[in-house]
Amino acid sequence: MIGLSVRHESWPVRGTFTISRGSKTAADVVVVELERGGCTGRGECVPYGRYGETVDSVIEQIASQRPALENDLDRGALQQALPAGAARNALDCALWDLDAKTTGETVAELAGVTAPAAVTTAYTLSVETPGRMREAARAHRHAPLLKLKLAGEGDMERVEAVREGAPDARIIVDANEAWRIEEYVSYAPWLHRLGIAMIEQPFPADADEALGELSRPVPVCADESCHDRSSLAALAGRYDMVNIKLDKTGGLTEALALKQAAVEQGFQIMVGCMLATSLAMAPALFLCADAAVVDLDGPLLLAHDRPEGLRIEDSTIHPPQPGLWG
């Protein structure tokens, strides 16, 4: 029998975090705790309005599994009980953590994957005026990888300003579905000349077929267009890379399967995150081996993290301790 506890937490952002869809001053997360035999497993998810989720709807989905958990719902059955999304993510990750704590094995041992090593994460600069983005880039000019949130109009000036502020950093850009075709046609060759390493989700997920006919001088990564393995068939010929996020896949179980399938089909891997604490980042570290890009900077964008959070030095994230997860 597995006991369930679920709650909403709000974590202040350091300043304001802005993308093409709007701004945030807090990260609203849902935390699941599962208890069995005196052991507790935890998981954290981020309800995302882009996918029709709210804190209340995600908590309701999680609570709907209480009877199944009382009958020892396992990870395999969970994949059928809930669709991919934030609710399943929190439960799936909590089940992984619970199994690790009750068996004494690590999640890496349970999953049959390499234990996570220290990795370099991108540091994200949110959408701002070119001048403010230049100053933000200058403040983080020693970061080896910067990710720029873009919004369409004025993006050339934003990227140029960031390059001026951080001339030696590797840079990737994320349009969050905000570009029109004519903007992509104009921007992509110019970004290539500027040495930009990747473009993330330039077009809306339901209008990205044009990528199959356009040249891609800079590798293009699917984010909103890629949720789980069922997404991959439509991405061939349009994207070079997929961004795996646990809140999209519905947890580590499907994320591991998606990574394997994506690699087999020739896609490079990016491991990404929503704005959340170290508890949400820890499971994603088990996906990072051989990833082309790691973007797990959520805790760095918060005013403060969990006391037992990940050790992050400059842009290096170290593996989680058992007290946090896994």
Side-chain angles (χ1 to χ4, degrees), residues 57-133:
S57 72
V58 166
I59 289 176
E60 183 178 349
Q61 275 189 296
I62 292 168
S64 74
Q65 299 306 301
R66 192 181 302 275
L69 288 163
E70 291 174 352
N71 287 298
D72 289 316
L73 176 75
D74 62 18
R75 293 190 305 275
L78 176 63
Q79 308 309 303
Q80 307 304 316
L82 287 178
R88 196 176 79 188
N89 176 32
L91 282 169
D92 183 74
C93 291
L95 284 168
W96 278 106
D97 191 33
L98 181 64
D99 286 346
K101 287 179 168 59
T102 55
T103 64
E105 296 185 78
T106 66
V107 166
E109 290 168 336
L110 291 171
V113 299
T114 303
V119 295
T120 298
T121 180
Y123 184 84
T124 304
L125 304 182
S126 64
V127 175
E128 262 292 359
T129 64
R132 289 180 178 176
M133 292 188 78

Side-chain angles (χ1 to χ4, degrees), residues 34-278:
L34 300 179
E35 191 277 331
R36 180 176 60 201
C39 296
T40 301
R42 299 190 299 166
E44 176 181 315
C45 70
V46 180
Y48 198 34
R50 167 66 178 81
Y51 305 132
E53 297 172 335
T54 66
V55 167
D56 289 342
S57 72
V58 166
I59 289 176
E60 183 178 349
Q61 275 189 296
I62 292 168
S64 74
Q65 299 306 301
R66 192 181 302 275
L69 288 163
E70 291 174 352
N71 287 298
D72 289 316
L73 176 75
D74 62 18
R75 293 190 305 275
L78 176 63
Q79 308 309 303
Q80 307 304 316
L82 287 178
R88 196 176 79 188
N89 176 32
L91 282 169
D92 183 74
C93 291
L95 284 168
W96 278 106
D97 191 33
L98 181 64
D99 286 346
K101 287 179 168 59
T102 55
T103 64
E105 296 185 78
T106 66
V107 166
E109 290 168 336
L110 291 171
V113 299
T114 303
V119 295
T120 298
T121 180
Y123 184 84
T124 304
L125 304 182
S126 64
V127 175
E128 262 292 359
T129 64
R132 289 180 178 176
M133 292 188 78
R134 181 187 297 107
E135 291 308 308
R138 188 167 290 138
H140 297 280
R141 64 187 178 278
H142 299 303
L145 177 60
L146 291 176
K147 175 176 174 177
L148 316 186
K149 291 291 189 177
L150 300 178
E153 185 178 353
D155 281 347
M156 292 178 112
E157 292 80 3
R158 292 184 179 98
V159 177
E160 287 176 344
V162 169
R163 178 51 83 199
E164 291 171 7
D168 299 323
R170 183 183 179 211
I171 295 175
I172 59 178
V173 300
D174 182 6
N176 281 116
E177 305 181 281
W179 288 358
R180 301 184 303 273
I181 290 177
E182 54 267 33
E183 286 172 323
Y184 175 88
V185 170
S186 173
Y187 292 165
W190 170 77
L191 291 171
H192 173 68
R193 292 192 294 272
L194 205 58
I196 303 307
M198 185 263 280
I199 299 168
E200 189 177 347
Q201 197 68 42
F203 303 143
D206 61 357
D208 63 356
E209 62 276 2
L211 285 170
E213 302 174 359
L214 297 171
S215 65
R216 299 195 299 276
V218 177
V220 179
C221 180
D223 182 5
E224 286 85 350
S225 290
C226 181
H227 288 248
D228 55 17
R229 282 172 290 174
S230 67
S231 304
L232 291 176
L235 305 183
R238 300 180 186 181
Y239 294 94
D240 308 288
M241 185 181 299
V242 296
N243 187 353
I244 302 176
K245 293 180 180 176
L246 299 182
D247 280 308
K248 295 187 300 175
T249 65
L252 182 60
T253 301
E254 174 61 22
L256 289 167
L258 170 59
K259 179 183 177 182
Q260 179 178 345
V263 169
E264 289 173 352
Q265 294 180 39
F267 293 101
Q268 290 188 293
I269 301 299
M270 175 179 181
V271 180
C273 68
M274 303 298 190
L275 189 58
T277 78
S278 282

